[in-house]
Amino acid sequence: MRTPCCERMGLKKGPWTAEEDHILVSHIQRYGHGNWRALPKQAGLLRCGKSCRLRWINYLRPDIKRGKFSKEEEDTILKLHQILGNRWSAIAASLPGRTDNEIKNFWHTHLKKRIEKSGVLHNGNAYASSHMILQEAQDASSTSSSVTGNMMIANYGLASRKNPPFVGTGFYGAVSSNTFMGNHDSCQLSEEMEFWYNIFIKSGQTS
DNA sequence: AACGCAAGCAACCGCCTCATC
DNA sequence: TGATGAGGCGGTTGCTTGCGT
C-alpha cells in the first residue's frame, strides 16, 4: 500500500491563495513543470505535486477558456459522451481551452439533468450492443480495412478503460445503423462520419 | 433580515497505467 | 519479471453563492 504524497507532514490543503497561484505560475513560466513532485519544493510551495498539477491544469494554464459553454460545445460534449461515456479527458481533448474537470462539472450540473429529463440516456442494453458493434467493426476492418471499422475499433479501445463504451444511442445511431443495418442515407452518413472522424483526428486518438 | 436549500465549482482522494530499475 | 514511483484520470466531497420563503 502506497502512502499518498499529500500525507506528508506540513503540506497545505484547501483553496489556493493568490500568492500561491503567483508562485506556481511564475515558477512554471520560468522552469516548466518537468517533475510535478519536485516542483512544489523547488518553487517553495507547501503543496503536494498533485495539487500543483491540478491547479495549473484546471485554473492557471494560460489557454484556459472560462465562462459559459457555447451551444456548439454543449453539442460536442453530448455527442462525445454518448460515445466515450465518462471519459472526460478524452472529451476535453476535443474542446480547446476546456478542462476535463470543467466538463465533468458542467455535465453533472447541467447536461446530465437535461438528458435525464429528455430520456435520451436510457439504453440499459448499451454494453451488450457494444460487443455486437465491436464484432461488426472487426469484421468491417478485417474484410475491407475500411475507415469505419478501424475507427470503431480505435473507439472501442478508447472507451474500454473503465466504462462500458457506446452508452446511449449517438454513435450507434449515427454510424452503425447506417453502416451495418442497411439503412442507407449516404449523404447524411458521410457528414456524420466526417464529424466523428474530425473529432478523433483532432484529439489525436485514432489508431 | 434570517434561514434553509440547491446549484455550481474547486479541490481532494484513490485507483489505474506506464516507465524505469 | 516484479516492484516502485510518477503522472493522469474519474469519482466524490465540501465550500461558496444565489435564490426562495
Side-chain angles (χ1 to χ4, degrees), chain A residues 24-154:
Chain A
L24 182 60
V25 169
S26 15
H27 184 85
I28 290 175
Q29 280 173 349
R30 199 172 301 171
Y31 305 106
H33 53 74
N35 184 340
W36 283 113
R37 303 237 169 174
L39 187 146
K41 200 176 178 184
Q42 292 165 355
L45 286 164
L46 290 171
R47 297 274 182 174
C48 74
K50 272 191 171 187
S51 183
C52 294
R53 179 186 157 272
L54 215 60
R55 183 65 178 169
W56 172 255
I57 287 174
N58 288 333
Y59 202 83
L60 299 174
R61 232 172 42 183
D63 57 334
I64 293 281
K65 189 200 291 183
R66 307 207 73 81
K68 286 188 72 173
F69 280 75
S70 69
K71 188 76 184 69
E72 289 74 22
E73 287 174 317
E74 285 185 28
D75 290 344
T76 304
I77 293 169
L78 287 168
K79 285 187 175 181
L80 287 178
H81 188 268
Q82 285 178 346
I83 302 171
L84 301 168
N86 298 350
R87 301 209 49 225
W88 308 115
S89 60
I91 295 172
S94 295
L95 292 167
R98 300 296 188 181
T99 68
D100 54 353
N101 205 36
E102 201 178 5
I103 292 168
K104 181 169 56 181
N105 283 332
F106 185 66
W107 171 264
H108 282 123
T109 53
H110 295 91
L111 301 178
K112 190 179 174 185
K113 288 169 196 165
R114 194 187 306 171
I115 281 180
E116 280 170 356
K117 259 186 188 172
S118 68
V120 173
L121 192 67
H122 68 280
N123 194 346
N125 203 25
Y127 190 71
S129 297
S130 71
H131 285 282
M132 188 181 75
I133 293 165
L134 175 64
Q135 186 58 53
E136 288 167 340
Q138 284 171 333
D139 292 346
S141 179
S142 62
T143 56
S144 65
S145 70
S146 69
V147 172
T148 307
N150 288 335
M151 193 171 86
M152 291 180 74
I153 288 175

